[in-house]
Amino acid sequence: GAGSLWGGEPYLAVHLRREATQLGCSKGSPSVLCPLNGSEWTIDTAAVESHIRRAAAAAAVTHVYIATIWPPQHRKYDGELPRLLQGVSGAASLSDGAAMSRALRASGAAGAASKGMTRYLQSLIEQELCATATAFLGSSRSTWTGNIQLQREAAGLGLTTFFGKGP
């Protein structure tokens, strides 16, 4: 789990949901879900990076876990996760299935890794990492983020923000 990523230290979990379709688009309400170009439609990578940094500072954490679909569904985001991992101090991600399998083997959960890393299993693991984080930055209008928010509220965990809103 996340404890093995940072020795049990607190961390910000980020769910960055990028879409290949225009279903999440609403002109004048920029969202990470919208792939259309322009600040009236989308929150671009530079703004995402800035928001992650602000959320980490507000939560007073030095570690950041980024959950996203990798490889991305839209070619426009091919370089986004590597850029964020490089540009955000203390960032890590296991959204690449091979990276997740390596981490599971290294943590002693070889049985889970040997069964094959499906997107579903990977999503469940990342959901747990996000639900139990010190703080959470999610993607508005994403059902996956909504599930994390509900889990965090049920567990009494606060510090949930969304891209384009707060800190």
Side-chain angles (χ1 to χ4, degrees):
S4 64
L5 288 174
W6 298 292
E9 292 184 19
Y11 65 99
L12 166 70
V14 175
H15 174 230
L16 178 57
R17 177 70 166 115
R18 293 296 200 179
E19 272 289 340
T21 70
Q22 296 180 17
L23 291 175
C25 298
S26 176
K27 191 172 185 175
S29 296
S31 166
V32 292
L33 272 71
C34 183
L36 297 177
N37 292 325
S39 60
E40 71 274 17
W41 294 104
T42 193
I43 300 172
D44 67 13
T45 302
V48 164
E49 186 175 332
S50 176
H51 199 143
I52 292 172
R53 282 195 192 112
R54 288 192 317 274
V61 298
T62 58
H63 305 292
V64 177
Y65 182 81
I66 301 173
T68 191
I69 295 175
W70 192 259
Q73 296 179 327
H74 195 291
R75 292 195 51 97
K76 140 184 202 171
Y77 302 115
D78 282 352
E80 186 168 59
L81 182 59
R83 175 183 167 171
L84 294 173
L85 293 175
Q86 202 168 54
V88 175
S89 180
S93 179
L94 299 175
S95 291
D96 173 352
M100 173 90 57
S101 292
R102 284 191 303 274
L104 287 171
R105 280 192 294 279
S107 73
S114 67
K115 292 183 173 131
M117 184 54 57
T118 65
R119 282 295 305 150
Y120 178 69
L121 179 57
Q122 186 175 353
S123 178
L124 291 176
I125 292 168
E126 287 194 304
Q127 188 172 349
E128 183 66 15
L129 289 170
C130 290
T132 58
T134 306
F136 177 64
L137 173 59
S139 300
S140 294
R141 300 192 308 249
S142 161
T143 54
W144 201 90
T145 282
N147 287 337
I148 299 300
Q149 184 182 13
L150 289 173
Q151 283 181 268
R152 291 180 61 76
E153 286 176 10
L157 296 172
L159 292 177
T160 296
T161 57
F162 300 93
F163 285 106
K165 321 231 184 306

